[in-house]
mmCIF file of all heavy atoms in Angstrom:
data_model
loop_
_atom_site.group_PDB
_atom_site.id
_atom_site.type_symbol
_atom_site.label_atom_id
_atom_site.label_comp_id
_atom_site.label_asym_id
_atom_site.label_seq_id
_atom_site.Cartn_x
_atom_site.Cartn_y
_atom_site.Cartn_z
ATOM 1 N N GLN A 141 98.917 81.806 88.552
ATOM 2 C CA GLN A 141 98.109 82.514 89.536
ATOM 3 C C GLN A 141 98.705 83.894 89.790
ATOM 4 O O GLN A 141 99.902 84.087 89.588
ATOM 5 C CB GLN A 141 97.982 81.716 90.819
ATOM 6 C CG GLN A 141 99.306 81.292 91.423
ATOM 7 C CD GLN A 141 99.106 80.359 92.610
ATOM 8 O OE1 GLN A 141 98.015 80.257 93.149
ATOM 9 N NE2 GLN A 141 100.148 79.694 93.026
ATOM 10 N N PRO A 142 97.893 84.857 90.222
ATOM 11 C CA PRO A 142 98.383 86.223 90.397
ATOM 12 C C PRO A 142 99.081 86.430 91.746
ATOM 13 O O PRO A 142 98.601 87.158 92.611
ATOM 14 C CB PRO A 142 97.103 87.056 90.291
ATOM 15 C CG PRO A 142 96.062 86.163 90.884
ATOM 16 C CD PRO A 142 96.443 84.766 90.443
ATOM 17 N N VAL A 143 100.201 85.765 91.927
ATOM 18 C CA VAL A 143 100.955 85.874 93.174
ATOM 19 C C VAL A 143 102.336 86.435 92.849
ATOM 20 O O VAL A 143 103.053 85.895 91.998
ATOM 21 C CB VAL A 143 101.080 84.498 93.874
ATOM 22 C CG1 VAL A 143 101.941 84.613 95.128
ATOM 23 C CG2 VAL A 143 99.705 83.949 94.215
ATOM 24 N N LEU A 144 102.692 87.510 93.536
ATOM 25 C CA LEU A 144 104.001 88.124 93.350
ATOM 26 C C LEU A 144 105.072 87.214 93.930
ATOM 27 O O LEU A 144 104.995 86.824 95.092
ATOM 28 C CB LEU A 144 104.035 89.483 94.056
ATOM 29 C CG LEU A 144 105.356 90.239 94.002
ATOM 30 C CD1 LEU A 144 105.634 90.748 92.594
ATOM 31 C CD2 LEU A 144 105.336 91.403 94.984
ATOM 32 N N ASP A 145 106.043 86.860 93.114
ATOM 33 C CA ASP A 145 107.185 86.085 93.600
ATOM 34 C C ASP A 145 108.196 87.057 94.217
ATOM 35 O O ASP A 145 108.572 86.934 95.370
ATOM 36 C CB ASP A 145 107.800 85.292 92.451
ATOM 37 C CG ASP A 145 108.895 84.347 92.904
ATOM 38 O OD1 ASP A 145 108.862 83.893 94.060
ATOM 39 O OD2 ASP A 145 109.793 84.056 92.092
ATOM 40 N N TRP A 146 108.630 88.045 93.428
ATOM 41 C CA TRP A 146 109.513 89.101 93.924
ATOM 42 C C TRP A 146 109.454 90.303 93.005
ATOM 43 O O TRP A 146 109.009 90.211 91.878
ATOM 44 C CB TRP A 146 110.938 88.614 94.126
ATOM 45 C CG TRP A 146 111.625 88.043 92.919
ATOM 46 C CD1 TRP A 146 111.698 86.731 92.563
ATOM 47 C CD2 TRP A 146 112.346 88.757 91.901
ATOM 48 N NE1 TRP A 146 112.398 86.586 91.394
ATOM 49 C CE2 TRP A 146 112.828 87.823 90.965
ATOM 50 C CE3 TRP A 146 112.630 90.096 91.684
ATOM 51 C CZ2 TRP A 146 113.561 88.174 89.844
ATOM 52 C CZ3 TRP A 146 113.373 90.456 90.565
ATOM 53 C CH2 TRP A 146 113.829 89.497 89.668
ATOM 54 N N MET A 147 109.931 91.434 93.546
ATOM 55 C CA MET A 147 109.942 92.684 92.797
ATOM 56 C C MET A 147 111.163 93.485 93.237
ATOM 57 O O MET A 147 111.533 93.482 94.406
ATOM 58 C CB MET A 147 108.669 93.476 93.107
ATOM 59 C CG MET A 147 108.667 94.882 92.557
ATOM 60 S SD MET A 147 107.142 95.784 92.918
ATOM 61 C CE MET A 147 107.149 95.844 94.691
ATOM 62 N N VAL A 148 111.772 94.173 92.281
ATOM 63 C CA VAL A 148 112.890 95.072 92.565
ATOM 64 C C VAL A 148 112.609 96.401 91.872
ATOM 65 O O VAL A 148 112.265 96.426 90.697
ATOM 66 C CB VAL A 148 114.238 94.498 92.058
ATOM 67 C CG1 VAL A 148 115.361 95.511 92.232
ATOM 68 C CG2 VAL A 148 114.574 93.203 92.779
ATOM 69 N N VAL A 149 112.747 97.486 92.637
ATOM 70 C CA VAL A 149 112.611 98.832 92.097
ATOM 71 C C VAL A 149 114.015 99.421 91.999
ATOM 72 O O VAL A 149 114.826 99.273 92.921
ATOM 73 C CB VAL A 149 111.707 99.703 93.003
ATOM 74 C CG1 VAL A 149 111.634 101.134 92.496
ATOM 75 C CG2 VAL A 149 110.308 99.094 93.099
ATOM 76 N N HIS A 150 114.321 100.069 90.874
ATOM 77 C CA HIS A 150 115.638 100.683 90.663
ATOM 78 C C HIS A 150 115.962 101.593 91.845
ATOM 79 O O HIS A 150 115.108 102.328 92.334
ATOM 80 C CB HIS A 150 115.621 101.483 89.362
ATOM 81 C CG HIS A 150 116.968 101.969 88.948
ATOM 82 N ND1 HIS A 150 117.577 103.049 89.538
ATOM 83 C CD2 HIS A 150 117.826 101.509 88.007
ATOM 84 C CE1 HIS A 150 118.753 103.253 88.978
ATOM 85 N NE2 HIS A 150 118.922 102.325 88.042
ATOM 86 N N PRO A 151 117.207 101.556 92.326
ATOM 87 C CA PRO A 151 117.594 102.353 93.501
ATOM 88 C C PRO A 151 117.249 103.842 93.394
ATOM 89 O O PRO A 151 116.841 104.454 94.378
ATOM 90 C CB PRO A 151 119.110 102.154 93.588
ATOM 91 C CG PRO A 151 119.361 100.845 92.926
ATOM 92 C CD PRO A 151 118.329 100.739 91.836
ATOM 93 N N ALA A 152 117.366 104.420 92.225
ATOM 94 C CA ALA A 152 117.088 105.851 92.062
ATOM 95 C C ALA A 152 115.601 106.168 92.149
ATOM 96 O O ALA A 152 115.217 107.330 92.286
ATOM 97 C CB ALA A 152 117.643 106.341 90.723
ATOM 98 N N THR A 153 114.754 105.152 92.091
ATOM 99 C CA THR A 153 113.312 105.349 92.056
ATOM 100 C C THR A 153 112.633 104.914 93.353
ATOM 101 O O THR A 153 111.448 105.132 93.543
ATOM 102 C CB THR A 153 112.721 104.566 90.862
ATOM 103 O OG1 THR A 153 113.495 104.847 89.701
ATOM 104 C CG2 THR A 153 111.299 104.952 90.563
ATOM 105 N N ARG A 154 113.375 104.317 94.259
ATOM 106 C CA ARG A 154 112.787 103.809 95.504
ATOM 107 C C ARG A 154 112.285 104.945 96.393
ATOM 108 O O ARG A 154 112.784 106.051 96.347
ATOM 109 C CB ARG A 154 113.817 102.970 96.256
ATOM 110 C CG ARG A 154 114.148 101.695 95.517
ATOM 111 C CD ARG A 154 115.191 100.869 96.212
ATOM 112 N NE ARG A 154 115.551 99.754 95.345
ATOM 113 C CZ ARG A 154 116.645 99.027 95.483
ATOM 114 N NH1 ARG A 154 117.488 99.277 96.464
ATOM 115 N NH2 ARG A 154 116.882 98.053 94.647
ATOM 116 N N GLY A 155 111.273 104.612 97.190
ATOM 117 C CA GLY A 155 110.726 105.570 98.137
ATOM 118 C C GLY A 155 109.746 106.565 97.536
ATOM 119 O O GLY A 155 109.410 107.566 98.166
#
Side-chain angles (χ1 to χ4, degrees):
Q141 54 187 344
V143 177
L144 178 70
D145 186 28
W146 58 265
M147 171 179 62
V148 174
V149 176
H150 189 283
T153 312
R154 293 178 187 163

